[in-house]
């Protein structure tokens, strides 16, 4: 990579980034002062991002509202929502924007060169030349505005960010995180809520909003990042000529100031809302928080990740165990947040009592003093280091491009010192340093200095208040009513006119010439080839193995699968409990904390899960296979240890340790409830599908609402249930974990097959060989149409049904329908006009379809929007260009780059679901050749889904009570 010809940039640093196999260059654009970072390697999943340092001076949420608003049209791309147009018509592998407490980041990624350039162009234009100055409608739509439909109507607030943050503030965990940050940093920007406090958001004026952009969205305050395999010189030249050369350097006062340490630890108590029928007992959050140096300390940044593992996060870690043993809280969590200038180490006891606060602090500090005096478990430290180093070397971030994750990590140092971008992505030396420090007293000294002797900390209590949401809503309504009464008739009429004008603006069809300015690829640019399958059937030690030959950089991915078809429906909740217990309970040879450390010292981790595979060749029969799976990954040389630890977990777990089972059930109950509140859309969709789908009912009974109810019952009646539960769990291990009930999925290069047969034979030999009685799993479904009341201010509204049940076939065009609805009809009506944060739809090969909203202020209105899908589709008419765009957006979702592990998982999923290459080819052709007529024909799919009339809503108790006639059953969790 040569930039010597580019006189417009100054090269400040040139580094060989061995840890991530890349070359790094730090530059500065001479004229504008823009900071530029290049990370060049052979990864074709290219990443670009531009970030700005955006310290909030209040809690109006202006950084967050700005992040939404700049993506709603710009000088060269004046359409109302170029972001959505790109989602619909780009081959991106990532496209989003994020607001943090001190920065706003706009990243994009794509494997297609032309597409990547298009994305860069739209994003640079969006941040530097947004249309926010032309009118206030974007601000009112994305931020907040008064809503008054008629002059005698009720005045309310609306806005996407306003509603999103109402949802975020409904979660007690969200409240806790915010209060901790604000309490620890009262004198710098972290004292304010960058996302926006719903009570404060309406104080933001349009002019303040524009001033924020004028101040911070300047190249002198920017951090531009380019990663991957591309012509860097060409990109730099383009950035200079198209954008940066038009700006002169400017002094932007955006420095993040250090908080002066406290003389003594602070204490703060805050309330969160629970439903009026929810108990306040054992519902308080206690948290212990300390500030740990700065993120510019390379070793400290990583060392506390290791200490978090060794002291708190690992099962059986001393802090977690001591607090659990003392009966303080039922779920001990914590975190080490190193994404802010001064990182925070936190210990949290959930489901505690406020009266336990002093004991909570005493137990923590007693444990820490003991760790300093007697030394930290060295195996725990080594396990923590190995776990983190394995993840670093593997660089598998699931669906997220690794270049994106590196780019975000770069900001942990670059934002605070513009000459230090590489210190955390070049981490091999740091891991070496940390390994060498085990046993030297280094970690014990860190505990003494940063946790015990450090007065820069806070004890934060977040306690429940019944009916808080209703009280605050009533106060707000009263405030708005008084405001309305203070207005003249002309001012009231103006509010009605403004409301109508915004709705008209939102409903106006986009000007064709504006849409055509957003670049779109052609259908011909897309390959008709499908991603290959890697499935080779074989038998090793008489066990069926599906081998996926893929280059994995020396790592073997093993998945041992046990068929659950011999388990009865009555036993399914116990299967869910068994899956939750195994791996975090004592075994015959290890205490559970030692077991976890042993695994992480030697492998990349072992975990269990329950999986479902629907037979797509027998959809009318609703045939599916459920499996209990134990997965492990390790270097080839450590696979023998991986199999040995799997056998230990499956065959030697002490399932009569009722004390530990009780702790796990309490934690499980807490985590499930947390999931229902944060991912209510998926929970509601699954529950509604379970009214008619045996496979969805299976999932609900093992991980959804049905499972939660069973876990809650057992936990509340534990003393009378415990012995029978242990006996049932032991009986299940004998029934499930048998060699004749097992198959294996294995992903590795060919050399990784060496030695597999004896390892499999050894595992099979340890499993149960006795005969067992199997009971066929017969699942009965029943339509309930439920409303689940919570203390939330927002709803998750799910409507589901099966179209194959009503005689409509699956076609690849349904994948396009997902894109059309999620980013056009539903987006426009539920998000843009309705103010919800999100909306989704889905249609799969077994006929299941759903519509769902996310953090939605509405309920009945949203259901009416779903009902309108049929009419929308029957009259669907778009240009060829738009049709092409939808198709490209669909292929973008399908053609996401895959890691070696995900290639193996995809291959196995297709194998288990009996999806052939011919089916995938046919589906791809149906997508690429789809016409408007094909989309119009899908109206019958939507009609069939809606005809099933399956509804589930998780949301605010007032809203659900208001519309209770919609439900067959209204209840709380």
């Amino acid at each position: 990579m040569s930039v010597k010809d580019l006189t417009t940039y100054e090269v400040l640093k040139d580094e060989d980034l061995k840890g991530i196999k890349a070359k790094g260059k730090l530059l500065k654009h001479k004229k504008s002062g823009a900071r530029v970072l290049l990370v060049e390697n052979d990864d074709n999943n290219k990443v670009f991002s531009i970030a700005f340092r955006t310290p909030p001076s209040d809690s109006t949420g202006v950084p967050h509202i700005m992040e939404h608003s700049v993506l709603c049209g710009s000088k060269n791309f004046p359409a109302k929502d170029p972001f959505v147009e790109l989602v619909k018509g780009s081959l991106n592998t990532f496209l989003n924007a994020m607001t943090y407490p001190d920065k706003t980041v706009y990243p994009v990624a794509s494997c297609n060169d032309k597409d990547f350039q298009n994305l860069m162009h739209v994003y640079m234009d969006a941040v530097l030349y947004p249309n926010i100055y032309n009118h206030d409608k974007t601000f009112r739509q994305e931020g907040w505005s008064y809503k008054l439909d008629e002059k005698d109507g009720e005045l309310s607030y609306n806005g996407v960010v306003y509603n999103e943050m109402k949802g975020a503030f409904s979660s007690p965990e969200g409240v806790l995180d915010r209060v901790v940050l604000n309490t620890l940093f009262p004198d710098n920007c972290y004292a304010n809520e960058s996302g926006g406090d719903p009570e404060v958001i309406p104080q933001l004026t349009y002019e303040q909003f524009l001033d924020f952009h004028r101040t911070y969205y300047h190249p002198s305050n920017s951090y531009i990042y380019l990663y991957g395999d591309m012509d860097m010189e060409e990109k730099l030249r383009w950035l200079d000529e198209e954008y940066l050369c038009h700006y002169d350097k400017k002094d932007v006062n955006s420095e993040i100031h250090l908080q002066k340490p406290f003389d003594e630890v602070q204490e703060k108590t805050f309330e969160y809302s629970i439903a009026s029928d929810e108990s306040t007992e054992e519902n308080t959050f206690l948290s212990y928080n300390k500030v740990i140096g700065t993120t510019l300390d390379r070793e400290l940044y990583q060392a506390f990740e290791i200490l978090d593992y060794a002291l708190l996060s690992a099962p059986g870690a001393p802090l977690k165990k001591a607090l659990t043993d003392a009966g303080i809280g039922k779920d001990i969590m914590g975190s080490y947040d190193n994404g802010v200038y001064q990182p925070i180490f936190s210990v949290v006891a959930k489901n505690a009592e406020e009266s336990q606060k002093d004991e909570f602090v005493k137990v923590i500090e007693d444990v820490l003093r003991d760790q300093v005096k007697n030394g930290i478990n060295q195996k725990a430290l080594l396990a923590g280091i190995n776990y983190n180093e394995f993840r670093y070397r593997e660089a598998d971030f699931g669906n997220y491009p690794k270049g994106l994750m590196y780019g975000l990590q770069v900001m942990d140092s670059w934002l605070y010192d513009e000459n230090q971008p590489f210190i955390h992505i070049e981490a091999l030396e740091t891991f070496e340093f940390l390994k060498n420090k085990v046993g030297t007293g280094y970690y014990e000294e860190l505990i003494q200095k940063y946790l015990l002797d450090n007065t820069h900390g806070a004890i934060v209590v977040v306690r429940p208040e019944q009916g808080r949401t209703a009280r605050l809503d009533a106060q707000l309504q009263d405030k708005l009513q008084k405001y309305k009464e203070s207005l003249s008739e002309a001012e009231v009429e103006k509010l009605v006119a403004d409301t109508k004008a915004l709705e008209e603006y939102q409903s106006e069809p986009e000007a064709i010439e504006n849409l055509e300015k957003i670049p779109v690829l052609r259908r011909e640019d897309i390959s008709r080839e499908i991603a290959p399958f890697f499935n080779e059937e074989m038998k090793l030690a008489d066990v069926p193995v599906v081998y996926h030959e893929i280059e994995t950089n020396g790592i073997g991915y093993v998945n041992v699968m046990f068929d659950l078809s011999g388990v009865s429906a009555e036993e399914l909740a116990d299967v869910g409990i068994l899956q939750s217990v195994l791996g975090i309970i004592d075994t015959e040879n290890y205490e559970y904390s030692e077991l976890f450390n042993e695994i992480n010292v030697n492998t990349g981790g072992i975990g269990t899960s329950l999986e479902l595979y629907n037979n797509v060749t027998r959809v009318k029969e609703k045939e599916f296979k459920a499996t209990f799976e134990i997965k492990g990954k390790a270097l080839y040389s450590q696979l023998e240890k991986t199999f040995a630890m799997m056998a230990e977990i499956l065959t030697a777990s002490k399932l009569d340790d009722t004390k530990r089972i009780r702790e796990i059930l309490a934690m499980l109950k807490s985590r499930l409830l947390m999931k229902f509140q944060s991912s209510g859309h998926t929970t509601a969709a699954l529950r509604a599908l379970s009214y008619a789908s045996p496979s969805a009912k299976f999932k609900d009974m093992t991980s959804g609402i049905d499972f939660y109810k069973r876990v809650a019952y057992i936990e509340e009646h534990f003393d009378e249930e415990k012995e029978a539960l242990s006996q049932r769990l032991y009986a299940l291990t004998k029934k499930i974990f048998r060699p004749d009930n097992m198959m294996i999925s294995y992903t590795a290069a060919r050399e990784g097959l060496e030695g597999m047969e004896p390892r499999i034979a050894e595992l099979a030999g340890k499993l149960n060989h006795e005969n067992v009685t199997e009971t066929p799993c017969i699942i009965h479904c029943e339509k309930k149409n439920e409303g689940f009341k919570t203390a939330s201010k927002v709803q998750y509204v799910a409507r589901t049904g099966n179209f194959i049940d009503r005689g409509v076939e699956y076609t690849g065009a349904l994948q396009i329908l997902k894109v059309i609805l999620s980013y056009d009809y539903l987006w426009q009506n539920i998000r843009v006009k309705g103010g919800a944060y999100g909306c989704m739809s889905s249609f799969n090969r077994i006929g299941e379809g759903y519509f769902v909203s996310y953090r939605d202020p509405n309920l009945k209105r949203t259901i009416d929007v779903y009902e309108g899908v049929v009419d929308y589709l029957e009259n669907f008419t778009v240009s060829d260009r738009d049709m092409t765009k939808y198709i490209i957006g669909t292929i973008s979702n399908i053609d996401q780059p895959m890691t070696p592990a995900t290639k193996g998982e995809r291959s196995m999923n297709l194998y288990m679901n009996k999806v052939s290459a011919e089916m995938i080819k046919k589906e791809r052709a149906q997508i690429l050749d789809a016409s408007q007529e094909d989309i119009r024909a899908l109206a019958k799919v939507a009609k069939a889904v809606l005809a099933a009339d399956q509804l589930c809503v998780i949301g605010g108790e007032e809203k659900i009570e208001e519309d209770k006639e919609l439900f067959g059953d209204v209840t709380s969790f």
Side-chain angles (χ1 to χ4, degrees):
M1 173 175 64
S2 161
V3 290
K4 59 180 180 293
D5 306 332
L6 294 172
T7 54
T8 52
Y9 295 87
E10 179 187 0
V11 180
L12 304 174
K13 249 183 193 179
D14 200 337
E15 286 197 18
D16 190 8
L17 307 173
K18 294 189 185 73
I20 61 168
K21 301 184 178 73
K23 302 276 185 197
K25 263 194 173 62
L26 176 62
L27 314 173
K28 189 159 241 186
H29 186 257
K30 293 176 184 174
K31 185 168 187 287
S32 69
R35 305 163 187 86
V36 182
L37 190 65
L38 313 179
V39 176
E40 190 174 37
N41 59 13
D42 60 2
D43 191 344
N44 77 332
N45 195 2
K46 296 168 280 293
V47 178
F48 161 80
S49 80
I50 180 164
F52 300 92
R53 206 156 50 185
T54 49
S57 57
D58 56 36
S59 292
T60 58
V62 60
H64 189 189
I65 297 168
M66 187 62 68
E67 174 234 304
H68 280 240
S69 300
V70 298
L71 294 170
C72 293
S74 63
K75 184 173 79 177
N76 289 307
F77 306 103
K80 283 187 288 189
D81 214 335
F83 172 75
V84 171
E85 297 306 315
L86 286 174
V87 173
K88 286 191 286 199
S90 150
L91 286 173
N92 73 83
T93 55
F94 187 86
L95 180 75
N96 214 329
M98 295 88 96
T99 305
Y100 293 91
D102 54 15
K103 61 184 174 283
T104 311
V105 187
Y106 297 86
V108 295
S110 180
C111 297
N112 180 290
D113 292 343
K114 190 172 161 191
D115 188 49
F116 181 69
Q117 182 60 47
N118 293 344
L119 294 171
M120 273 182 68
H121 194 181
V122 174
Y123 263 46
M124 282 298 290
D125 211 64
V127 296
L128 295 178
Y129 302 122
N131 281 347
I132 56 173
Y133 295 95
N134 300 352
H135 55 74
D136 69 352
K137 292 186 179 68
T138 300
F139 166 70
R140 291 172 57 220
Q141 171 182 292
E142 297 298 321
W144 78 276
S145 63
Y146 288 113
K147 181 172 167 59
L148 185 63
D149 293 319
E150 51 197 20
K151 65 177 183 180
D152 297 327
E154 199 175 83
L155 183 64
S156 62
Y157 293 132
N158 203 10
V160 173
V161 168
Y162 176 74
N163 288 320
E164 178 192 347
M165 296 312 293
K166 273 193 353 186
F169 274 50
S170 296
S171 142
E173 290 81 10
V175 172
L176 177 64
D177 288 348
R178 181 174 59 85
V179 177
V180 166
L181 193 67
N182 303 164
T183 305
L184 288 171
F185 305 105
D187 306 316
N188 67 14
C189 67
Y190 301 135
N192 304 307
E193 175 52 54
S194 64
D197 180 335
E199 291 185 39
V200 185
I201 288 171
Q203 294 172 16
L204 180 66
T205 68
Y206 176 53
E207 197 50 44
Q208 288 169 331
F209 166 75
L210 296 181
D211 274 342
F212 189 85
H213 186 271
R214 290 184 193 110
T215 304
Y216 296 115
Y217 278 62
H218 187 283
S220 296
N221 189 44
S222 72
Y223 298 78
I224 296 170
Y225 168 81
L226 283 162
Y227 163 95
D229 184 6
M230 69 185 91
D231 185 337
M232 291 290 185
E233 205 167 327
E234 177 213 332
K235 295 286 176 269
L236 290 170
R237 185 171 282 113
W238 178 85
L239 282 166
D240 168 53
E241 291 171 0
E242 291 290 324
Y243 289 100
L244 301 181
C245 74
H246 302 302
Y247 289 84
D248 292 319
K249 229 179 256 184
K250 170 183 163 185
D251 279 336
V252 180
N253 180 14
S254 66
E255 186 185 347
I256 312 300
H257 298 285
L258 286 171
Q259 171 67 47
K260 195 174 158 222
F262 304 151
D263 293 331
E264 56 183 26
V265 172
Q266 305 293 300
E267 291 200 10
K268 188 87 172 265
T269 301
F270 204 81
E271 284 74 35
Y272 78 94
S273 190
I274 56 171
S276 54
D277 59 355
E278 211 176 326
S279 171
T280 57
E281 283 183 31
E282 294 186 337
N283 231 340
T284 292
F285 288 70
L286 306 173
S287 76
Y288 176 97
N289 313 278
K290 292 290 177 85
V291 173
I292 311 296
T294 78
T295 55
L296 295 174
D297 187 325
R298 183 197 296 250
E299 286 81 20
L300 192 64
Y301 173 93
Q302 195 69 54
F304 260 87
E305 293 273 17
I306 312 309
L307 280 171
D308 173 65
Y309 172 95
L311 294 174
L312 182 63
S313 297
L319 283 173
K320 186 175 279 190
K321 191 170 189 310
L323 287 165
T324 305
D325 288 349
I328 300 172
K330 294 187 173 179
D331 188 3
I332 307 303
M333 305 181 296
S335 63
Y336 169 57
D337 177 7
N338 52 12
V340 289
Y341 193 8
Q342 293 168 277
I344 305 163
F345 179 82
S346 299
V347 185
V348 178
K350 188 179 171 188
N351 299 115
E353 294 285 7
E354 189 177 358
S355 60
Q356 295 176 306
K357 181 190 70 177
D358 292 341
E359 191 190 354
F360 169 72
V361 174
K362 181 179 185 304
V363 169
I364 290 171
E365 296 192 336
D366 284 352
V367 168
L368 294 175
R369 276 190 280 271
D370 177 69
Q371 295 291 307
V372 172
K373 183 181 172 190
N374 297 313
I376 305 169
N377 180 331
Q378 292 189 19
K379 191 142 201 182
L381 291 171
L382 290 169
I385 294 167
N386 187 65
Y387 173 75
N388 282 283
E389 186 176 356
F390 190 98
R391 281 171 59 204
Y392 173 75
R393 288 177 182 273
E394 185 186 26
D396 184 348
F397 301 101
N399 295 329
Y400 296 106
K402 62 183 176 186
L404 167 77
M405 303 311 284
Y406 292 148
L408 294 175
Q409 192 173 25
V410 154
M411 297 304 293
D412 288 350
S413 58
W414 197 21
L415 193 76
Y416 314 112
D417 182 342
E418 61 182 48
N419 297 309
Q420 297 281 3
F422 300 122
I423 60 176
H424 301 315
I425 59 167
E426 185 53 22
L428 290 178
E429 284 179 15
T430 309
F431 287 120
E432 210 48 47
F433 169 88
L434 293 172
K435 276 182 225 168
N436 293 334
K437 289 294 183 184
V438 174
T440 66
Y442 169 79
Y443 293 96
E444 290 77 4
E445 284 167 21
L446 293 182
I447 293 174
Q448 189 68 48
K449 178 177 177 181
Y450 289 103
L451 298 179
L452 289 168
D453 297 342
N454 183 7
T455 51
H456 193 176
I459 310 303
V460 174
V461 177
V462 176
R463 63 188 178 199
E465 180 188 329
Q466 281 177 328
R468 177 180 168 82
T469 299
R471 178 173 64 78
L472 292 175
D473 283 351
Q475 284 175 5
L476 174 61
Q477 201 44 58
D478 187 47
K479 177 184 165 184
L480 286 167
Q481 182 60 27
K482 282 182 176 152
Y483 172 69
K484 187 184 170 195
E485 286 165 3
S486 75
L487 300 175
S488 67
E489 194 169 335
E491 287 169 325
V492 170
E493 282 171 1
K494 184 176 186 307
L495 284 180
V496 175
D498 286 348
T499 300
K500 193 174 177 206
L502 180 58
E503 286 170 357
E504 283 171 356
Y505 168 75
Q506 291 166 336
S507 300
E508 274 168 24
E510 192 64 77
I512 300 297
E513 62 270 22
N514 288 347
L515 289 173
E516 287 181 348
K517 287 177 179 171
I518 297 167
V520 175
L521 300 174
R522 299 167 307 154
R523 293 195 203 194
E524 301 80 72
D525 293 331
I526 299 171
S527 167
R528 289 189 168 259
E529 294 302 308
I530 65 166
F533 296 15
F534 305 90
N535 290 327
E536 185 182 333
E537 293 177 317
M538 54 179 68
K539 275 207 167 182
L540 296 174
D542 215 29
V543 173
V545 174
V546 182
Y547 167 58
H548 321 288
E549 185 180 354
I550 298 163
E551 179 46 58
T552 58
N553 215 10
I555 298 169
Y557 296 90
V558 183
N559 186 5
V560 184
M561 309 162 73
F562 297 93
D563 191 349
L564 290 173
S565 54
V567 174
S568 70
E570 291 69 34
E571 294 172 303
L572 288 182
D574 290 339
V575 172
I577 291 170
L578 180 66
Q579 184 267 317
S580 304
V581 164
L582 291 184
I584 55 170
I585 196 164
D586 290 356
T587 67
E588 284 165 21
N589 297 302
Y590 298 94
E591 281 187 9
Y592 67 92
S593 58
E594 293 170 353
L595 176 77
F596 204 73
N597 290 333
E598 187 71 19
I599 287 168
N600 284 314
V601 161
N602 294 291
T603 77
I606 293 173
T608 59
S609 66
L610 303 179
E611 303 294 344
L612 273 170
Y613 304 99
N614 290 289
N615 183 344
V616 301
T617 65
R618 291 178 61 81
V619 288
K620 287 191 171 65
E621 295 80 3
K622 294 189 168 20
E623 192 177 287
F624 70 93
K625 177 176 270 196
T627 54
F628 187 112
E629 305 190 358
I630 184 163
K631 304 176 187 187
K633 56 186 176 184
L635 298 170
Y636 298 154
S637 58
Q638 295 285 12
L639 284 171
E640 191 172 345
K641 185 72 175 179
T642 307
F643 274 92
M645 298 311 291
M646 284 179 169
E648 183 76 19
I649 289 167
L650 296 174
T651 65
S653 289
K654 294 184 175 177
L655 299 171
D656 53 1
D657 181 354
T658 53
K659 175 181 176 290
R660 178 61 184 151
I661 289 176
R662 181 178 224 156
E663 292 167 5
I664 293 168
L665 288 177
M667 178 180 76
L668 185 57
K669 180 181 161 189
S670 156
R671 301 279 165 100
L672 284 165
L673 207 51
M674 203 156 65
K675 183 182 86 173
F676 298 164
Q677 288 167 341
S678 64
S679 302
H681 57 309
T682 52
T683 306
L686 175 66
R687 182 69 170 186
L689 285 168
S690 78
Y691 302 157
S693 160
S695 61
K697 181 80 183 270
F698 180 101
K699 206 167 180 183
D700 189 60
M701 292 167 81
T702 54
S703 65
I705 290 172
D706 208 79
F707 180 58
Y708 169 79
K709 288 180 172 179
R710 183 66 185 142
V711 168
Y713 178 84
I714 294 174
E715 196 244 354
E716 282 155 24
H717 302 85
F718 192 73
D719 287 334
E720 57 259 45
E721 289 279 335
K722 61 187 179 184
E723 283 178 25
L725 175 64
S726 281
Q727 287 167 7
R728 295 198 306 270
L729 294 179
Y730 271 124
L732 277 174
T733 62
K734 289 195 166 12
K735 185 184 274 197
I736 299 168
F737 305 140
R738 312 187 324 263
D740 60 331
N741 197 40
M742 171 170 82
M743 72 183 295
I744 288 176
S745 168
Y746 180 53
T747 304
R750 188 63 61 173
E751 67 195 89
L753 266 177
E754 288 170 25
M756 279 300 280
E757 188 145 22
R759 291 170 194 146
I760 292 170
E762 194 176 340
L763 173 63
K766 291 177 181 173
L767 300 176
N768 178 38
H769 289 255
E770 297 167 19
N771 288 330
V772 293
T773 307
E774 292 194 332
T775 320
C777 188
I778 299 163
I779 293 176
H780 299 287
C781 298
E782 177 192 356
K783 188 164 99 173
K784 295 182 177 176
N785 286 12
E786 295 154 299
F788 291 96
K789 297 189 291 186
T790 70
S792 178
K793 295 182 178 185
V794 289
Q795 282 64 246
Y796 303 94
V797 183
R799 187 79 184 268
T800 70
N802 190 303
F803 53 89
I804 289 176
D805 284 355
R806 286 169 172 73
V808 187
E809 286 189 8
Y810 174 83
T811 163
L814 282 164
Q815 297 303 316
I816 308 173
L817 183 57
K818 273 201 306 201
V819 174
I820 292 171
L821 292 179
S822 298
Y823 291 104
D824 198 325
Y825 175 78
L826 294 180
W827 178 276
Q828 284 300 321
N829 290 289
I830 289 176
R831 181 182 160 115
V832 175
K833 296 179 190 174
Y837 184 49
C839 47
M840 305 96 189
S841 63
S842 181
F843 310 92
N844 64 23
R845 288 178 182 279
I846 60 166
E848 293 173 346
Y850 66 70
F851 309 105
V852 67
S853 66
Y854 181 82
R855 289 187 181 166
D856 185 350
N858 304 301
L859 197 168
K860 176 76 171 68
R861 181 190 179 281
T862 296
I863 294 169
D864 292 341
V865 170
Y866 296 158
E867 292 287 350
V869 171
V870 176
D871 184 57
Y872 167 77
L873 290 176
E874 284 175 345
N875 296 290
F876 181 78
T877 309
V878 294
S879 66
D880 286 346
R881 185 178 189 276
D882 277 346
M883 196 63 217
T884 296
K885 204 156 53 179
Y886 291 130
I887 288 164
I888 289 167
T890 305
I891 293 293
S892 168
N893 292 337
I894 293 169
D895 287 359
Q896 291 289 310
M898 289 179 279
T899 62
T902 50
K903 285 177 186 172
E905 282 168 20
R906 169 182 176 267
S907 297
M908 193 63 189
N909 269 321
L910 295 172
Y911 177 88
M912 293 295 290
N913 288 308
K914 303 200 180 328
V915 178
S916 66
E918 287 64 39
M919 288 179 196
I920 300 273
K921 280 177 186 159
K922 181 182 174 187
E923 178 184 73
R924 194 174 182 90
Q926 286 170 335
I927 293 167
L928 287 172
D929 299 331
S931 65
Q932 293 181 61
E933 290 72 28
D934 294 319
I935 302 303
R936 284 197 282 270
L938 299 179
K940 58 182 183 286
V941 171
K943 194 178 282 184
V945 169
L946 293 165
D949 187 34
Q950 293 165 206
L951 171 72
C952 178
V953 179
I954 297 172
E957 52 186 329
E958 279 191 54
K959 217 39 160 180
I960 286 177
E961 281 293 337
E962 195 179 297
D963 292 312
K964 67 179 176 190
E965 75 283 352
L966 297 169
F967 303 103
D969 187 27
V970 168
T971 183
S972 301
F973 288 123

